Amino acid sequence: MHELDSEFEKNILKEISVKEIMKNLKWLAEEVPQRLAGSPEDRKTAEWIKNTLESYGVHVDMYEFDALLSFPIYAELKVISPGPVQSIEAIAYAHSASTLPEGISGELVYVGAGGEKDYENVDAEGKITLAEISYDPPRPYKIKIAQDHGVKAQIQMNWGSPEHEVLPMGTMKPVWGNPTPDTIDLMPTIPGIAITRKSGEILKELLNRGKVRVWMRVEATREWIKIPMPIATVEGTEEPEKFVMMGGHFDAWGGGVTDNGTGIVCIMEMARIFQKHRDKLKRSIKFGFWAAHETGIMEGSTWYTDNFWSDLNKNCIAYLNCDSTGMVGSKLYFPLYHEETERFLMKVIEDILGKDEVKQVMDTREFARSIGFDVGLRPSKVADNGSFFGLGVPVVDARTIFDVDTLMKEQMAVLGWWYQSDEDTIDKVDPKMLEKAMKADSIFLLRLMNAPIIPYEFFSPAAVLKSRLEKLNEEAKGRIDLKPLIQTAEQLEKRAKELNENLEKISEKYHSGSVKEGKELLKEINQTIMKLSRILIPLNYTYIGRYERDPYGATYVNRPIPVLLPIIRYAEMDPDSEEYKLLTTKLVQEKNKVSDALDEALWHTNYILREIKRYL
């Protein structure tokens, strides 16, 4: 369902210059390795991005906005019992609460990954917890959970193998974007520090022998700073108001190469290539170089989606996130994606990287499901693509990843044992893997810019929603009836399949040249496709809804239809309790939200089907 111009696609692929990519990456690595938002290096990087893109002929707008940022100052950690007292090297997290000069002390308890389940049968209130760095849940959400359990402070031990004595840098702010009056109370109120994997293993061994007490002293800033953010545009020729978007953050910790120097230079190279061939692009493409991803938590992408909401809502077809790709040792191009993009995306991967690559992607997804990690297969609230969930813009978050054996050896260090440390240097990059990712990314974007009909299908999202509703209805144990919603989801799935079949017919007529008089219908079809995404993605991927932001790493959005997740708890409550009665009202209201969204999606699907059939 895309307008395949194989010669043009071959020319685009030939344009990819690994030499140019590595030249730009070398500049970042040598001139501004650590470039925290609000620092001189951060501004220097933004200006360099703008100047370099303008030398390619690309138009760049430089925006400035106020961001709530933090700089870690210092951290000290000592084991005070069992004796003798021993010091452990530590580093403060950004947005950590600062202790008084005399520091704090307390009993240490181990909480594994630091998720909710890890606190079951653990007396952590008033104590200092030791947690392991992971994305299950991510660091900031571990801190939020710790605060919710009355923890005094948290120490997080690095991932990777013990032989890598690397101090991990990072932030512990769970608020997505700049805080509002409604979210300011979610800001961290306890100290948080990080230690090496080796030091963490020493603490765990001490805990295995008996009680352990530690002392820590921590200081970090928290302040509002005005920061720059470049956004680039290459205009299309036929529908310049419509666009796809590619983005990644340019701020960085430590060496700053794979997180996210590689993403930035790939985006810059994409802008260079498409600017050169802009006369053959039907639609436009925008490039977001996001500020304050690290110490601010997605403040740049959130600011942009908030302040350009109307344009994005009406005109953005897709967002491709480029973050931490091309790592040395990575082998597979692996995307996370919203369901409506899957068939199209896999066709791109097959055409550009081969059928075996698609098979490996699907095998890896199946393996993740087999070990209970299926939630890790959905785009989640840990990257800038999460700023687009409320809008309902379909996202793809793609990078090259390690094989399973490597991940198991390195304690699931999915972004490398060097992640967010001084060890993130240019030797951690594989230029061939950067080129591999660029090939797939470029054709994905190109086909979306030039396809007469946006190549999405909605029977897959409908099937996901139906399956989730069926499971929730079973878990509700008769206390709330979701059968009417299941029936609507079934109708939507059926009609979406019919829509897809008819879109294939329209596409065939277009390529045969017999649809020229139906260009207005094509526009209406594309508007409907975008509208369906706007309805279904917020339903499937947000709890808080379209206009606000779920916290960074929020685990409750890792399953479809997050607003109905409380049904599981509701089914086990005492029906005579006040909590049950309060939640009854809430769940009825949330059920109505789901009902409205499904009804609206079904209406738009039926409407465009009638229009297509009238034309055919």
Side-chain angles (χ1 to χ4, degrees), residues 64-92:
E64 300 228 355
F65 64 97
D66 291 314
L68 184 60
L69 304 172
S70 174
F71 294 93
I73 305 300
Y74 69 81
E76 295 179 72
L77 176 64
K78 294 179 180 179
V79 177
I80 54 179
S81 71
V85 173
Q86 57 178 308
S87 295
I88 293 179
E89 188 180 12
I91 189 169

PDB file of all heavy atoms in Angstrom, residues 64-92:
ATOM      1  N   GLU A  64      13.449  28.316  22.772  1.00  0.00           N
ATOM      2  CA  GLU A  64      13.955  28.388  24.143  1.00  0.00           C
ATOM      3  C   GLU A  64      12.773  28.302  25.091  1.00  0.00           C
ATOM      4  O   GLU A  64      11.703  28.864  24.828  1.00  0.00           O
ATOM      5  CB  GLU A  64      14.739  29.686  24.380  1.00  0.00           C
ATOM      6  CG  GLU A  64      15.951  29.840  23.476  1.00  0.00           C
ATOM      7  CD  GLU A  64      17.209  30.244  24.233  1.00  0.00           C
ATOM      8  OE1 GLU A  64      17.117  30.504  25.445  1.00  0.00           O
ATOM      9  OE2 GLU A  64      18.274  30.298  23.598  1.00  0.00           O
ATOM     10  N   PHE A  65      12.958  27.597  26.192  1.00  0.00           N
ATOM     11  CA  PHE A  65      11.881  27.475  27.177  1.00  0.00           C
ATOM     12  C   PHE A  65      12.478  27.233  28.553  1.00  0.00           C
ATOM     13  O   PHE A  65      13.643  26.854  28.696  1.00  0.00           O
ATOM     14  CB  PHE A  65      10.926  26.330  26.798  1.00  0.00           C
ATOM     15  CG  PHE A  65      11.544  24.957  26.810  1.00  0.00           C
ATOM     16  CD1 PHE A  65      11.399  24.127  27.914  1.00  0.00           C
ATOM     17  CD2 PHE A  65      12.257  24.486  25.718  1.00  0.00           C
ATOM     18  CE1 PHE A  65      11.957  22.869  27.942  1.00  0.00           C
ATOM     19  CE2 PHE A  65      12.827  23.209  25.724  1.00  0.00           C
ATOM     20  CZ  PHE A  65      12.672  22.404  26.838  1.00  0.00           C
ATOM     21  N   ASP A  66      11.678  27.475  29.570  1.00  0.00           N
ATOM     22  CA  ASP A  66      12.103  27.253  30.959  1.00  0.00           C
ATOM     23  C   ASP A  66      11.934  25.787  31.327  1.00  0.00           C
ATOM     24  O   ASP A  66      10.880  25.184  31.084  1.00  0.00           O
ATOM     25  CB  ASP A  66      11.274  28.116  31.913  1.00  0.00           C
ATOM     26  CG  ASP A  66      11.577  29.595  31.761  1.00  0.00           C
ATOM     27  OD1 ASP A  66      12.766  29.950  31.696  1.00  0.00           O
ATOM     28  OD2 ASP A  66      10.621  30.401  31.698  1.00  0.00           O
ATOM     29  N   ALA A  67      12.973  25.222  31.933  1.00  0.00           N
ATOM     30  CA  ALA A  67      12.947  23.809  32.318  1.00  0.00           C
ATOM     31  C   ALA A  67      13.400  23.666  33.765  1.00  0.00           C
ATOM     32  O   ALA A  67      14.335  24.349  34.199  1.00  0.00           O
ATOM     33  CB  ALA A  67      13.854  22.996  31.405  1.00  0.00           C
ATOM     34  N   LEU A  68      12.744  22.779  34.504  1.00  0.00           N
ATOM     35  CA  LEU A  68      13.149  22.488  35.878  1.00  0.00           C
ATOM     36  C   LEU A  68      14.227  21.407  35.828  1.00  0.00           C
ATOM     37  O   LEU A  68      13.952  20.256  35.476  1.00  0.00           O
ATOM     38  CB  LEU A  68      11.964  22.019  36.709  1.00  0.00           C
ATOM     39  CG  LEU A  68      12.270  21.774  38.196  1.00  0.00           C
ATOM     40  CD1 LEU A  68      12.781  23.042  38.879  1.00  0.00           C
ATOM     41  CD2 LEU A  68      11.036  21.237  38.925  1.00  0.00           C
ATOM     42  N   LEU A  69      15.458  21.801  36.179  1.00  0.00           N
ATOM     43  CA  LEU A  69      16.616  20.927  36.005  1.00  0.00           C
ATOM     44  C   LEU A  69      17.331  20.695  37.322  1.00  0.00           C
ATOM     45  O   LEU A  69      17.033  21.333  38.324  1.00  0.00           O
ATOM     46  CB  LEU A  69      17.580  21.554  34.989  1.00  0.00           C
ATOM     47  CG  LEU A  69      16.970  21.877  33.620  1.00  0.00           C
ATOM     48  CD1 LEU A  69      17.961  22.664  32.777  1.00  0.00           C
ATOM     49  CD2 LEU A  69      16.550  20.600  32.900  1.00  0.00           C
ATOM     50  N   SER A  70      18.299  19.781  37.293  1.00  0.00           N
ATOM     51  CA  SER A  70      19.050  19.446  38.494  1.00  0.00           C
ATOM     52  C   SER A  70      20.460  19.036  38.120  1.00  0.00           C
ATOM     53  O   SER A  70      20.678  18.391  37.088  1.00  0.00           O
ATOM     54  CB  SER A  70      18.359  18.295  39.242  1.00  0.00           C
ATOM     55  OG  SER A  70      19.139  17.869  40.339  1.00  0.00           O
ATOM     56  N   PHE A  71      21.412  19.420  38.961  1.00  0.00           N
ATOM     57  CA  PHE A  71      22.795  18.992  38.811  1.00  0.00           C
ATOM     58  C   PHE A  71      23.229  18.265  40.084  1.00  0.00           C
ATOM     59  O   PHE A  71      23.129  18.830  41.180  1.00  0.00           O
ATOM     60  CB  PHE A  71      23.721  20.181  38.560  1.00  0.00           C
ATOM     61  CG  PHE A  71      23.480  20.880  37.252  1.00  0.00           C
ATOM     62  CD1 PHE A  71      22.631  21.966  37.170  1.00  0.00           C
ATOM     63  CD2 PHE A  71      24.099  20.442  36.095  1.00  0.00           C
ATOM     64  CE1 PHE A  71      22.402  22.611  35.966  1.00  0.00           C
ATOM     65  CE2 PHE A  71      23.886  21.082  34.880  1.00  0.00           C
ATOM     66  CZ  PHE A  71      23.034  22.165  34.816  1.00  0.00           C
ATOM     67  N   PRO A  72      23.693  17.019  39.980  1.00  0.00           N
ATOM     68  CA  PRO A  72      24.240  16.329  41.158  1.00  0.00           C
ATOM     69  C   PRO A  72      25.535  17.014  41.600  1.00  0.00           C
ATOM     70  O   PRO A  72      26.366  17.370  40.753  1.00  0.00           O
ATOM     71  CB  PRO A  72      24.520  14.912  40.657  1.00  0.00           C
ATOM     72  CG  PRO A  72      23.817  14.806  39.340  1.00  0.00           C
ATOM     73  CD  PRO A  72      23.743  16.178  38.777  1.00  0.00           C
ATOM     74  N   ILE A  73      25.715  17.189  42.908  1.00  0.00           N
ATOM     75  CA  ILE A  73      26.928  17.832  43.435  1.00  0.00           C
ATOM     76  C   ILE A  73      27.877  16.792  44.018  1.00  0.00           C
ATOM     77  O   ILE A  73      29.017  16.678  43.583  1.00  0.00           O
ATOM     78  CB  ILE A  73      26.575  18.893  44.503  1.00  0.00           C
ATOM     79  CG1 ILE A  73      25.565  19.907  43.922  1.00  0.00           C
ATOM     80  CG2 ILE A  73      27.833  19.598  44.984  1.00  0.00           C
ATOM     81  CD1 ILE A  73      26.065  20.665  42.715  1.00  0.00           C
ATOM     82  N   TYR A  74      27.438  16.038  44.990  1.00  0.00           N
ATOM     83  CA  TYR A  74      28.298  14.990  45.537  1.00  0.00           C
ATOM     84  C   TYR A  74      27.467  13.964  46.292  1.00  0.00           C
ATOM     85  O   TYR A  74      26.294  14.204  46.622  1.00  0.00           O
ATOM     86  CB  TYR A  74      29.372  15.563  46.465  1.00  0.00           C
ATOM     87  CG  TYR A  74      28.842  16.119  47.773  1.00  0.00           C
ATOM     88  CD1 TYR A  74      28.539  15.271  48.858  1.00  0.00           C
ATOM     89  CD2 TYR A  74      28.638  17.477  47.947  1.00  0.00           C
ATOM     90  CE1 TYR A  74      28.054  15.768  50.047  1.00  0.00           C
ATOM     91  CE2 TYR A  74      28.142  17.989  49.143  1.00  0.00           C
ATOM     92  CZ  TYR A  74      27.860  17.135  50.180  1.00  0.00           C
ATOM     93  OH  TYR A  74      27.357  17.637  51.353  1.00  0.00           O
ATOM     94  N   ALA A  75      28.095  12.831  46.582  1.00  0.00           N
ATOM     95  CA  ALA A  75      27.481  11.785  47.409  1.00  0.00           C
ATOM     96  C   ALA A  75      28.579  11.052  48.161  1.00  0.00           C
ATOM     97  O   ALA A  75      29.654  10.792  47.618  1.00  0.00           O
ATOM     98  CB  ALA A  75      26.694  10.808  46.557  1.00  0.00           C
ATOM     99  N   GLU A  76      28.308  10.735  49.417  1.00  0.00           N
ATOM    100  CA  GLU A  76      29.193   9.912  50.237  1.00  0.00           C
ATOM    101  C   GLU A  76      28.378   8.769  50.820  1.00  0.00           C
ATOM    102  O   GLU A  76      27.216   8.957  51.204  1.00  0.00           O
ATOM    103  CB  GLU A  76      29.779  10.721  51.391  1.00  0.00           C
ATOM    104  CG  GLU A  76      30.695  11.858  50.980  1.00  0.00           C
ATOM    105  CD  GLU A  76      31.192  12.618  52.208  1.00  0.00           C
ATOM    106  OE1 GLU A  76      32.031  12.063  52.950  1.00  0.00           O
ATOM    107  OE2 GLU A  76      30.718  13.750  52.422  1.00  0.00           O
ATOM    108  N   LEU A  77      28.985   7.602  50.899  1.00  0.00           N
ATOM    109  CA  LEU A  77      28.314   6.431  51.457  1.00  0.00           C
ATOM    110  C   LEU A  77      29.302   5.641  52.300  1.00  0.00           C
ATOM    111  O   LEU A  77      30.431   5.383  51.870  1.00  0.00           O
ATOM    112  CB  LEU A  77      27.758   5.544  50.339  1.00  0.00           C
ATOM    113  CG  LEU A  77      27.112   4.223  50.760  1.00  0.00           C
ATOM    114  CD1 LEU A  77      25.859   4.465  51.613  1.00  0.00           C
ATOM    115  CD2 LEU A  77      26.770   3.371  49.543  1.00  0.00           C
ATOM    116  N   LYS A  78      28.868   5.257  53.508  1.00  0.00           N
ATOM    117  CA  LYS A  78      29.702   4.446  54.389  1.00  0.00           C
ATOM    118  C   LYS A  78      28.872   3.333  55.007  1.00  0.00           C
ATOM    119  O   LYS A  78      27.695   3.540  55.351  1.00  0.00           O
ATOM    120  CB  LYS A  78      30.311   5.297  55.505  1.00  0.00           C
ATOM    121  CG  LYS A  78      31.315   6.336  55.022  1.00  0.00           C
ATOM    122  CD  LYS A  78      31.866   7.156  56.189  1.00  0.00           C
ATOM    123  CE  LYS A  78      32.861   8.197  55.692  1.00  0.00           C
ATOM    124  NZ  LYS A  78      33.389   9.022  56.817  1.00  0.00           N
ATOM    125  N   VAL A  79      29.481   2.164  55.140  1.00  0.00           N
ATOM    126  CA  VAL A  79      28.891   1.089  55.942  1.00  0.00           C
ATOM    127  C   VAL A  79      29.390   1.301  57.370  1.00  0.00           C
ATOM    128  O   VAL A  79      30.603   1.297  57.619  1.00  0.00           O
ATOM    129  CB  VAL A  79      29.322  -0.295  55.427  1.00  0.00           C
ATOM    130  CG1 VAL A  79      28.754  -1.394  56.340  1.00  0.00           C
ATOM    131  CG2 VAL A  79      28.874  -0.507  53.988  1.00  0.00           C
ATOM    132  N   ILE A  80      28.451   1.534  58.318  1.00  0.00           N
ATOM    133  CA  ILE A  80      28.878   1.803  59.699  1.00  0.00           C
ATOM    134  C   ILE A  80      28.731   0.592  60.604  1.00  0.00           C
ATOM    135  O   ILE A  80      29.320   0.555  61.692  1.00  0.00           O
ATOM    136  CB  ILE A  80      28.126   3.024  60.285  1.00  0.00           C
ATOM    137  CG1 ILE A  80      26.609   2.863  60.163  1.00  0.00           C
ATOM    138  CG2 ILE A  80      28.559   4.300  59.582  1.00  0.00           C
ATOM    139  CD1 ILE A  80      25.825   4.033  60.758  1.00  0.00           C
ATOM    140  N   SER A  81      27.944  -0.400  60.169  1.00  0.00           N
ATOM    141  CA  SER A  81      27.932  -1.667  60.881  1.00  0.00           C
ATOM    142  C   SER A  81      27.422  -2.752  59.928  1.00  0.00           C
ATOM    143  O   SER A  81      26.553  -2.472  59.099  1.00  0.00           O
ATOM    144  CB  SER A  81      27.051  -1.600  62.136  1.00  0.00           C
ATOM    145  OG  SER A  81      25.691  -1.541  61.807  1.00  0.00           O
ATOM    146  N   PRO A  82      27.978  -3.948  59.964  1.00  0.00           N
ATOM    147  CA  PRO A  82      29.039  -4.350  60.902  1.00  0.00           C
ATOM    148  C   PRO A  82      30.362  -3.639  60.584  1.00  0.00           C
ATOM    149  O   PRO A  82      30.632  -3.281  59.448  1.00  0.00           O
ATOM    150  CB  PRO A  82      29.147  -5.852  60.656  1.00  0.00           C
ATOM    151  CG  PRO A  82      28.706  -6.037  59.229  1.00  0.00           C
ATOM    152  CD  PRO A  82      27.628  -5.026  59.006  1.00  0.00           C
ATOM    153  N   GLY A  83      31.148  -3.434  61.632  1.00  0.00           N
ATOM    154  CA  GLY A  83      32.407  -2.728  61.501  1.00  0.00           C
ATOM    155  C   GLY A  83      33.484  -3.577  60.854  1.00  0.00           C
ATOM    156  O   GLY A  83      33.306  -4.784  60.660  1.00  0.00           O
ATOM    157  N   PRO A  84      34.643  -3.019  60.553  1.00  0.00           N
ATOM    158  CA  PRO A  84      34.942  -1.591  60.726  1.00  0.00           C
ATOM    159  C   PRO A  84      34.242  -0.739  59.660  1.00  0.00           C
ATOM    160  O   PRO A  84      33.791  -1.262  58.645  1.00  0.00           O
ATOM    161  CB  PRO A  84      36.456  -1.544  60.549  1.00  0.00           C
ATOM    162  CG  PRO A  84      36.757  -2.679  59.612  1.00  0.00           C
ATOM    163  CD  PRO A  84      35.785  -3.764  59.976  1.00  0.00           C
ATOM    164  N   VAL A  85      34.160   0.582  59.900  1.00  0.00           N
ATOM    165  CA  VAL A  85      33.518   1.489  58.955  1.00  0.00           C
ATOM    166  C   VAL A  85      34.260   1.428  57.619  1.00  0.00           C
ATOM    167  O   VAL A  85      35.491   1.463  57.590  1.00  0.00           O
ATOM    168  CB  VAL A  85      33.518   2.933  59.494  1.00  0.00           C
ATOM    169  CG1 VAL A  85      33.000   3.892  58.436  1.00  0.00           C
ATOM    170  CG2 VAL A  85      32.689   3.021  60.758  1.00  0.00           C
ATOM    171  N   GLN A  86      33.510   1.299  56.543  1.00  0.00           N
ATOM    172  CA  GLN A  86      34.138   1.288  55.217  1.00  0.00           C
ATOM    173  C   GLN A  86      33.396   2.220  54.274  1.00  0.00           C
ATOM    174  O   GLN A  86      32.169   2.287  54.273  1.00  0.00           O
ATOM    175  CB  GLN A  86      34.180  -0.131  54.648  1.00  0.00           C
ATOM    176  CG  GLN A  86      32.844  -0.837  54.538  1.00  0.00           C
ATOM    177  CD  GLN A  86      32.972  -2.223  53.931  1.00  0.00           C
ATOM    178  OE1 GLN A  86      33.561  -2.398  52.853  1.00  0.00           O
ATOM    179  NE2 GLN A  86      32.436  -3.232  54.610  1.00  0.00           N
ATOM    180  N   SER A  87      34.144   2.974  53.481  1.00  0.00           N
ATOM    181  CA  SER A  87      33.572   3.913  52.513  1.00  0.00           C
ATOM    182  C   SER A  87      33.311   3.193  51.188  1.00  0.00           C
ATOM    183  O   SER A  87      34.082   2.329  50.767  1.00  0.00           O
ATOM    184  CB  SER A  87      34.509   5.093  52.277  1.00  0.00           C
ATOM    185  OG  SER A  87      34.658   5.858  53.453  1.00  0.00           O
ATOM    186  N   ILE A  88      32.227   3.585  50.538  1.00  0.00           N
ATOM    187  CA  ILE A  88      31.863   3.037  49.224  1.00  0.00           C
ATOM    188  C   ILE A  88      31.686   4.210  48.264  1.00  0.00           C
ATOM    189  O   ILE A  88      30.948   5.158  48.562  1.00  0.00           O
ATOM    190  CB  ILE A  88      30.574   2.200  49.312  1.00  0.00           C
ATOM    191  CG1 ILE A  88      30.821   0.942  50.145  1.00  0.00           C
ATOM    192  CG2 ILE A  88      30.071   1.835  47.922  1.00  0.00           C
ATOM    193  CD1 ILE A  88      29.596   0.065  50.315  1.00  0.00           C
ATOM    194  N   GLU A  89      32.332   4.140  47.131  1.00  0.00           N
ATOM    195  CA  GLU A  89      32.208   5.211  46.140  1.00  0.00           C
ATOM    196  C   GLU A  89      30.777   5.294  45.642  1.00  0.00           C
ATOM    197  O   GLU A  89      30.144   4.277  45.330  1.00  0.00           O
ATOM    198  CB  GLU A  89      33.153   4.955  44.965  1.00  0.00           C
ATOM    199  CG  GLU A  89      33.219   6.115  43.984  1.00  0.00           C
ATOM    200  CD  GLU A  89      34.169   5.855  42.817  1.00  0.00           C
ATOM    201  OE1 GLU A  89      34.605   4.691  42.651  1.00  0.00           O
ATOM    202  OE2 GLU A  89      34.467   6.814  42.075  1.00  0.00           O
ATOM    203  N   ALA A  90      30.250   6.510  45.577  1.00  0.00           N
ATOM    204  CA  ALA A  90      28.855   6.703  45.180  1.00  0.00           C
ATOM    205  C   ALA A  90      28.731   7.991  44.384  1.00  0.00           C
ATOM    206  O   ALA A  90      29.620   8.843  44.392  1.00  0.00           O
ATOM    207  CB  ALA A  90      27.949   6.747  46.413  1.00  0.00           C
ATOM    208  N   ILE A  91      27.607   8.126  43.697  1.00  0.00           N
ATOM    209  CA  ILE A  91      27.316   9.335  42.931  1.00  0.00           C
ATOM    210  C   ILE A  91      25.863   9.715  43.169  1.00  0.00           C
ATOM    211  O   ILE A  91      24.988   8.841  43.283  1.00  0.00           O
ATOM    212  CB  ILE A  91      27.601   9.109  41.423  1.00  0.00           C
ATOM    213  CG1 ILE A  91      27.524  10.426  40.652  1.00  0.00           C
ATOM    214  CG2 ILE A  91      26.674   8.061  40.831  1.00  0.00           C
ATOM    215  CD1 ILE A  91      28.059  10.308  39.224  1.00  0.00           C
ATOM    216  N   ALA A  92      25.596  11.016  43.279  1.00  0.00           N
ATOM    217  CA  ALA A  92      24.218  11.475  43.513  1.00  0.00           C
ATOM    218  C   ALA A  92      23.436  11.453  42.215  1.00  0.00           C
ATOM    219  O   ALA A  92      23.976  11.687  41.130  1.00  0.00           O
ATOM    220  CB  ALA A  92      24.244  12.888  44.095  1.00  0.00           C
TER     221      ALA A  92
END
